[in-house]
């Protein structure tokens, strides 16, 4: 951690009433906790508490179906809710109620008094122990009474149509001091199990089942306190087989998670509560505490978070709420994307429905990429490991998709290279059991693959870790370049994607198919550029594809300016908006601005044209698309417009628990907001570091610590009246540090206080750094 830590104020979501026991209560007011292995939503109710549990592999295939009232169409299949935990207290006459989620500790707490007794609970999902933990206490010995039920939701023979094979079986059985739920999702043969153990202190515990030996309950009476521990699992294994095999062989139907779940529970039960809690907080804090931010916000323990949000909507801006939204995205990523688990999906790791909205899939025409933007610039690169593992597990299936696409399009040179030697690609959709491939009929072009592969370069660039470069970044980029280089056809001296589409853009009511649209050309350019850069860094310039990329890259013509002064979305477009929806939610013609880097301050004509396109596209849209606009405006350096877009998100697209809504709830907007705020405070995409790059008037004085920059640097800054005062730098990889600021650098010292030499040329300061060393720069 770099020196000068700030932000000692607590980061909390807090409320003075429980969440409603309804779909709306789950989506808008329940509090999410998670550890990668499971996610849980805590309602905090005092009559009958509800904790809904999700496990990301418990899914049916995605497909069309009728819409539920108030839900999006085609949402009848996909991720399924794992369990419903109910704890019946029957408390009445409640006073002093408080419910909160501490982002600092990742612990939810609920407290209140009922009939003169003070009751308190704590909940957390532990990554080290792979379990959900709940502790119940009361102020008087022997006054804790409750009944526990754990239910398997949505048990039925079929999902949509009788005989569709997408049913779910399951039962709940009480066994001594635990309730075991088990069953099967039929389509893929997913065997699942969950165990909840109850450990009371004092009192009496009775377990009961009905006449059929099912529907188990545990009753506890007269206890002083109690701890509940829940472990879950399925027979899902994330490897290439699950993506290559047919439906009948994606899972081992004779494999059951009982031993695994029992082991998780047994090991957790061998620890006392304080140890479980401290191990959890230590793990979470290792990541969350890396970044602090102070924009002048003041924590007020007497104001509920939804009240802050409602006041903000009415024009009462609150800096603490803005800080909270930034940190909430980091919290959610840590909770939903951990190594060894499935990555964060469209809903992270939280879903209460029989079928999650849009299946809770991994949608690759922006949503999945946006999930991981804050992993890189807010010091959470380890959270990308789960997606890296997932992507590499489906890579062979993605190679088959590349072969099929190129065969379908009649691309030249594919027969000579042979099957499995045409790189890899991904279409828009992906799930735990399958991926889609690029298609000439898709609403998103082949640039979708590069939109994905460039994440792997950021994985390297923000860490400076050469092992990541060699083992993950270069193979991903090179394989994608093998595919994309064959998607191009030379026309009038320019290489164009022959089957091209700007994601989800329609014209005259139909998805618009074309040649060489900006989205595809820009993403192909970015992938080519980064592949060549990796080859140079690794001394791999003799690799056979490199000459091809060198020949193609300068003939991609990725950015064209139209008659309206706009970045053209389509080559055939003249004036802005004459093709497609004028204010479409996607800004796909600007992916070269963000997350790409080819549109920047060194290309001022393109940068101005990007602003034209952004203004014409408009700021108002769905949650995630507002956040892409936020990131793009930050890249232009316009702090005022960036802030106005961020403000719009808070006013129009956040629910009471600060989840982003499309609507409905989608987590990508939370992640995009965090990445966008970080981009306003620090940029590093032009070959040098630029602190407070898009600072608005609202944030003229403040500080931050621990944001990350390309080259493997952690950065902190103090600024006042819009001017940089001090910069704190930690060099992870020992790379040359390059800095561009409006202020003149006057002095640089290392961690021992020794002055460090630096040079200044063309408004850019440079200095050598040592791996692991920290520096303070004064202005």
């Amino acid at each position: 951690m770099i020196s000068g830590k700030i932000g000692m104020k607590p980061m909390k979501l807090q409320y003075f009433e429980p969440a409603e026991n309804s779909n709306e209560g789950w989506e808008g007011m329940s509090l999410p906790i998670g550890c990668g292995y499971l996610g849980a939503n805590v309602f905090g109710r005092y009559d009958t508490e509800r904790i809904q549990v999700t496990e990301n592999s418990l899914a049916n295939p995605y497909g069309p179906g009728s819409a539920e009232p108030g839900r999006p169409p085609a949402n009848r299949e996909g991720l399924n809710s794992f369990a419903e935990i109910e704890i019946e207290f029957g408390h009445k006459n409640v006073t002093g109620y408080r419910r909160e989620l501490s982002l600092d500790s990742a612990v939810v707490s609920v407290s209140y008094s009922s009939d003169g007794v003070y009751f308190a609970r704590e909940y957390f999902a532990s990554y080290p122990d792979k379990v959900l933990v709940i502790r119940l206490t009361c102020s008087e010995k022997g006054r804790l009474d409750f009944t526990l039920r754990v239910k398997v939701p949505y048990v039925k023979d079929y999902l949509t149509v009788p005989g569709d094979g997408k049913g779910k079986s399951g039962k709940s059985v009480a066994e001594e001091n635990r309730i075991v739920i088990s069953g099967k999702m039929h389509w893929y043969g997913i065997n699942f199990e969950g165990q909840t153990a109850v450990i009371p202190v004092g009192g009496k515990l009775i377990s009961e089942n009905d006449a059929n030996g099912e529907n188990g309950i545990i009753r506890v009476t007269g206890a002083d306190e109690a701890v509940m521990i829940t472990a879950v699992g399925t027979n899902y294994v994330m490897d290439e087989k699950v993506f290559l095999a047919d439906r009948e062989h994606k899972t081992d139907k004779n494999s059951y998670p009982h031993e695994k779940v029992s082991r998780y529970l047994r090991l957790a039960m061998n620890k006392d509560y304080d140890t479980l809690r401290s191990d959890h907080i230590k793990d979470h804090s290792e990541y969350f505490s890396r970044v602090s931010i102070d924009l002048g916000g003041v924590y007020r323990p007497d104001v509920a978070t939804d009240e802050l949000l409602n006041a903000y909507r009415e024009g009462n801006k609150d800096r603490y709420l803005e800080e909270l939204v930034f940190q909430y995205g980091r919290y959610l990523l840590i909770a939903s994307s951990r190594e060894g688990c499935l990555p964060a999906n469209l809903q992270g790791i939280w879903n209460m429905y029989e079928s999650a909205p849009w299946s809770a899939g991994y949608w690759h025409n922006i949503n999945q990429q946006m999930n991981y933007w804050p992993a890189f610039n807010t010091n959470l690169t380890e959270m990308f490991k789960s997606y890296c593992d997932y992507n590499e597990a489906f890579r062979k299936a993605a190679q088959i998709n590349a072969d099929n696409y190129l065969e379908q399009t009649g691309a030249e040179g594919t027969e000579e290279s042979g099957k499995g030697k045409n790189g890899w690609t991904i279409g828009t959709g992906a799930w735990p059991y399958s991926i889609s491939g690029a298609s000439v009929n898709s609403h998103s072009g082949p640039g979708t693959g590069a939109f994905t592969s460039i994440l792997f370069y950021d994985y390297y660039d923000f860490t400076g870790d050469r092992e990541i470069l060699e083992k993950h970044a270069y193979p991903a980029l090179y394989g994608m370049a093998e595919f994309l280089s064959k998607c191009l056809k030379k026309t009038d001296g320019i290489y164009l994607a022959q089957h091209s589409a700007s994601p989800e853009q329609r014209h005259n009511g139909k998805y618009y198919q074309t040649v060489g649209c900006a989205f595809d050309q820009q993403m192909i350019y970015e992938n080519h550029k980064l592949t060549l850069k990796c080859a140079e860094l690794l001394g791999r310039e003799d690799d056979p594809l490199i000459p091809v990329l060198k020949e193609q890259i300068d003939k991609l013509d990725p950015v064209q300016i139209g008659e309206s002064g706009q970045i053209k979305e389509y080559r055939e477009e003249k004036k802005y908006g004459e093709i497609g929806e004028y204010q479409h939610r996607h800004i796909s013609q600007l992916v070269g601005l963000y997350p790409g880097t080819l549109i920047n301050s060194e290309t001022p004509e393109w940068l101005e044209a990007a602003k034209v396109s952004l203004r014409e596209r408009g700021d108002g849209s769905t949650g995630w698309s507002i956040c892409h606009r936020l990131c793009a405006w930050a890249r232009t350096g316009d702090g005022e417009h960036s802030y106005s877009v961020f403000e719009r998100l808070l006013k129009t697209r956040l629910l009471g628990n600060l989840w982003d809504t499309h609507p409905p709830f989608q987590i990508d907007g939370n992640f995009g907001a965090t990445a966008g705020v970080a981009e306003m405070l620090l940029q590093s995409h032009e070959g040098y570091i630029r602190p407070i790059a898009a600072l608005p008037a609202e944030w003229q004085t403040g500080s931050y610590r621990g944001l990350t920059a390309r080259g493997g640097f952690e950065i902190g800054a103090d600024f006042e009246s819009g001017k940089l005062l001090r910069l704190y730098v930690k060099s992870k990889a020992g790379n040359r540090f390059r800095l561009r600021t409006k202020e003149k650098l006057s002095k640089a010292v290392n961690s021992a206080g020794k002055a460090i030499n630096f040079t200044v040329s063309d408004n850019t300061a440079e200095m050598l750094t040592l791996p692991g060393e920290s520096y303070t720069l004064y202005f």
Side-chain angles (χ1 to χ4, degrees):
M1 178 62 65
I2 57 178
S3 62
K5 181 173 172 59
I6 58 166
M8 299 307 291
K9 72 188 81 171
M11 287 282 108
K12 290 184 178 182
L13 280 68
Q14 58 191 27
Y15 307 86
F16 305 116
E17 57 186 18
E20 291 294 329
N21 191 17
S22 64
N23 290 0
E24 293 75 17
W26 177 88
E27 187 175 52
M29 290 297 284
S30 67
L31 295 176
I33 53 178
C35 64
Y37 291 95
L38 60 85
N41 289 78
V42 179
F43 285 66
R45 302 184 64 76
Y46 47 78
D47 46 4
T48 299
E49 170 63 300
R50 177 183 177 190
I51 305 105
Q52 182 274 323
V53 179
T54 305
E55 199 280 345
N56 269 347
S57 69
L58 194 73
N60 274 313
Y62 178 65
S66 59
E68 299 176 31
R71 307 296 299 168
N75 74 326
R76 295 296 293 173
E77 299 167 27
L79 184 63
N80 191 281
S81 177
F82 190 94
E84 291 278 357
I85 299 175
E86 295 180 355
I87 312 172
E88 183 180 332
F89 297 106
H91 290 157
K92 299 178 181 179
N93 304 317
V94 166
T95 59
Y97 180 92
R98 186 177 188 87
R99 174 172 61 107
E100 62 184 39
L101 164 60
S102 166
L103 305 187
D104 303 290
S105 64
V107 173
V108 167
S109 59
V110 174
S111 61
Y112 55 86
S113 294
S114 174
D115 294 328
V117 180
Y118 178 76
F119 294 94
R121 311 175 211 151
E122 287 191 328
Y123 315 68
F124 58 86
S126 169
Y127 177 74
D129 289 298
K130 307 176 182 63
V131 292
L132 168 68
V133 181
I134 305 169
R135 187 191 193 192
L136 315 174
T137 61
C138 60
S139 61
E140 295 183 17
K141 287 183 178 295
R143 293 296 298 273
L144 181 62
D145 304 325
F146 63 88
T147 299
L148 171 69
R149 295 178 178 85
V150 185
K151 299 179 180 179
V152 181
Y154 308 116
V155 170
K156 61 197 305 186
D157 293 334
Y158 58 89
L159 181 62
T160 306
V161 180
D164 66 8
K166 296 172 185 172
K168 181 181 181 182
S169 58
K171 61 182 180 179
S172 172
V173 177
E175 300 175 355
E176 297 181 346
N177 72 330
R178 69 187 64 185
I179 295 179
V180 178
I181 63 168
S182 59
K184 183 186 291 289
M185 291 281 286
H186 297 168
W187 184 265
Y188 288 130
I190 308 168
N191 299 318
F192 66 87
E193 183 170 312
Q195 298 184 28
T196 299
V198 181
I199 309 164
V201 175
K204 184 178 181 180
L205 182 151
I206 299 174
S207 60
E208 300 174 355
N209 295 298
D210 65 15
N212 296 317
E214 299 182 17
N215 300 312
I217 64 171
I218 289 178
R219 301 185 194 277
V220 173
T221 56
D224 304 335
E225 62 180 78
V227 173
M228 300 180 188
I229 304 176
T230 299
V232 305
T234 74
N235 60 337
Y236 178 82
V237 178
M238 188 170 66
D239 58 17
E240 62 183 40
K241 173 188 172 182
V242 78
F243 301 102
L244 293 170
D246 60 27
R247 165 196 168 189
E248 293 297 324
H249 299 93
K250 289 184 181 294
T251 63
D252 181 352
K253 296 179 176 59
N254 294 317
S255 173
Y256 295 87
H258 176 73
E259 291 300 324
K260 175 175 66 176
V261 174
S262 298
R263 183 175 68 255
Y264 293 165
L265 192 63
R266 181 177 67 254
L267 292 175
M269 291 175 67
N270 285 339
K271 297 182 178 182
D272 60 32
Y273 176 78
D274 290 340
T275 302
L276 286 168
R277 189 179 190 274
S278 63
D279 288 351
H280 156 70
I281 293 175
K282 180 181 178 181
D283 169 75
H284 172 77
S285 299
E286 158 66 20
Y287 304 106
F288 187 78
S289 65
R290 289 175 180 175
V291 172
S292 54
I293 181 173
D294 188 352
L295 302 174
V298 176
Y299 168 65
R300 290 181 287 165
D302 59 334
V303 181
T305 302
D306 56 332
E307 292 176 9
L308 285 180
L309 186 61
N310 289 334
Y312 198 99
R313 290 170 179 155
E314 295 171 0
N316 298 312
K317 298 177 187 177
D318 189 282
R319 297 287 164 265
Y320 178 79
L321 181 64
E322 293 170 351
E323 296 165 3
L324 194 63
V325 168
F326 167 79
Q327 290 285 26
Y328 193 41
R330 298 184 66 249
Y331 164 85
L332 292 169
L333 187 58
I334 297 167
S336 62
S337 184
R338 299 302 297 266
E339 185 178 10
C341 306
L342 280 161
N345 59 43
L346 196 66
Q347 277 73 36
I349 193 170
W350 297 282
N351 168 56
M352 68 153 283
Y353 298 100
E354 184 173 22
S355 299
W358 293 286
S359 77
Y362 302 105
W363 300 101
H364 282 75
N365 63 358
I366 190 171
N367 315 91
Q368 192 60 31
Q369 292 84 349
M370 185 176 287
N371 277 10
Y372 287 98
W373 290 346
F376 306 121
N377 64 0
T378 75
N379 215 336
L380 294 173
T381 50
E382 293 92 341
M383 304 309 126
F384 185 68
K385 289 180 180 179
S386 64
Y387 181 78
C388 182
D389 291 344
Y390 171 74
N391 182 290
E392 291 172 355
F394 73 56
R395 198 72 63 80
K396 282 194 176 179
Q399 291 172 356
I400 295 172
N401 286 342
D403 291 340
N404 292 340
Y405 179 86
L406 294 171
E407 183 178 351
Q408 179 185 7
T409 61
E412 297 178 2
T414 57
E415 292 183 4
E416 291 82 352
S417 60
K419 295 287 187 180
K421 297 181 180 180
N422 296 306
W424 66 279
T425 191
I426 181 73
T428 299
W431 301 270
Y433 298 87
S434 64
I435 63 169
S436 64
S439 167
V440 297
N441 299 314
S442 173
H443 58 45
S444 302
T448 302
F451 208 8
T452 305
S453 59
I454 65 173
L455 291 169
F456 287 81
Y457 188 79
D458 281 344
Y459 186 30
Y460 156 69
D461 207 10
F462 278 86
T463 60
D465 187 331
R466 192 172 177 86
E467 184 176 352
I468 290 174
L469 172 66
E470 186 172 359
K471 292 185 177 180
H472 303 291
Y474 188 54
L477 291 159
Y478 191 93
M480 185 56 61
E482 286 182 300
F483 168 71
L484 293 172
S485 63
K486 295 174 182 178
C487 293
L488 300 169
K489 185 173 182 180
K490 197 171 185 178
T491 305
D492 297 327
I494 298 173
Y495 286 99
L496 299 177
Q498 284 304 289
H499 298 276
S500 186
S502 194
E504 302 182 23
Q505 180 64 281
R506 296 174 183 265
H507 187 65
N508 294 328
K510 296 181 179 180
Y511 289 124
Y512 189 73
Q513 309 289 329
T514 185
V515 171
C517 76
F519 171 75
D520 289 319
Q521 297 300 122
Q522 289 175 22
M523 285 293 94
I524 294 170
Y525 181 93
E526 294 283 354
N527 192 85
H528 274 35
K529 175 186 68 177
L530 295 176
T531 304
L532 291 171
K533 191 170 183 179
C534 287
E536 180 183 358
L537 290 168
L538 292 169
R540 300 280 296 271
E541 292 178 285
D542 291 335
D543 285 352
L545 186 64
I546 300 306
V548 176
L549 303 186
K550 287 182 177 179
E551 200 275 328
Q552 289 181 347
I553 192 167
D554 291 329
K555 302 179 181 67
L556 288 172
D557 197 24
V559 179
Q560 291 190 314
I561 298 178
E563 294 178 4
S564 302
Q566 84 281 18
I567 300 288
K568 293 170 65 173
E569 191 164 3
Y570 303 101
R571 302 185 70 80
E572 58 272 33
E573 169 190 324
K574 295 180 181 179
K575 294 185 180 298
Y576 175 87
E578 65 183 20
I579 301 173
E581 298 174 34
Y582 201 96
Q583 294 191 323
H584 194 266
R585 57 193 173 277
H586 284 269
I587 52 171
S588 301
Q589 70 272 46
L590 300 179
V591 289
L593 173 64
Y594 191 97
T597 64
L598 71 98
I599 301 173
N600 56 59
S601 63
E602 304 299 320
T603 59
E605 186 179 6
W606 290 357
L607 194 61
E608 288 303 313
K611 293 178 184 178
V612 172
S613 292
L614 281 169
R615 282 191 289 267
E616 294 300 320
R617 206 63 143 200
D619 296 337
S621 193
T622 63
W624 64 261
S625 57
I626 289 175
C627 294
H628 194 189
R629 286 156 168 80
L630 166 63
C631 294
W633 273 113
R635 280 282 174 89
T636 72
D638 189 333
E640 300 311 313
H641 206 128
S642 301
Y643 180 78
S644 71
V645 175
F646 181 58
E647 184 181 14
R648 179 183 289 268
L649 177 78
L650 270 64
K651 287 184 175 181
T652 66
R653 285 292 181 262
L654 294 187
L655 299 165
N657 62 0
L658 301 187
W659 264 353
D660 165 76
T661 181
H662 182 277
F665 157 58
Q666 287 186 193
I667 206 166
D668 44 15
N670 288 109
F671 296 145
T674 296
V677 170
E679 202 70 24
M680 293 169 70
L681 297 173
L682 179 68
Q683 295 180 17
S684 60
H685 62 287
E686 295 183 311
Y688 49 80
I689 289 168
R690 179 175 283 176
I692 56 174
L695 193 70
E698 299 280 353
W699 298 347
Q700 286 294 286
T701 297
S703 300
Y704 61 81
R705 300 288 186 271
L707 294 180
T708 32
R710 291 164 178 83
F713 296 102
E714 282 187 18
I715 306 295
D718 298 331
F719 46 95
E720 187 175 302
S721 301
K723 295 182 179 180
L724 191 63
L725 300 178
R726 286 169 297 277
L727 203 66
Y728 307 93
V729 179
K730 180 178 180 180
S731 177
K732 297 179 181 179
N735 288 322
R736 179 180 290 271
F737 182 77
R738 303 181 75 241
L739 174 72
R740 185 170 294 184
T741 62
K742 294 180 294 183
E743 298 79 13
K744 182 179 178 180
L745 177 60
S746 62
K747 183 173 66 171
V749 301
N750 64 14
S751 59
K754 181 181 178 181
I756 301 298
N757 292 329
F758 58 87
T759 61
V760 179
S761 176
D762 296 328
N763 297 318
T764 302
E766 296 190 37
M767 69 180 190
L768 300 177
T769 69
L770 296 175
E773 179 62 288
S774 296
Y775 306 87
T776 304
L777 283 59
Y778 298 89
F779 301 86

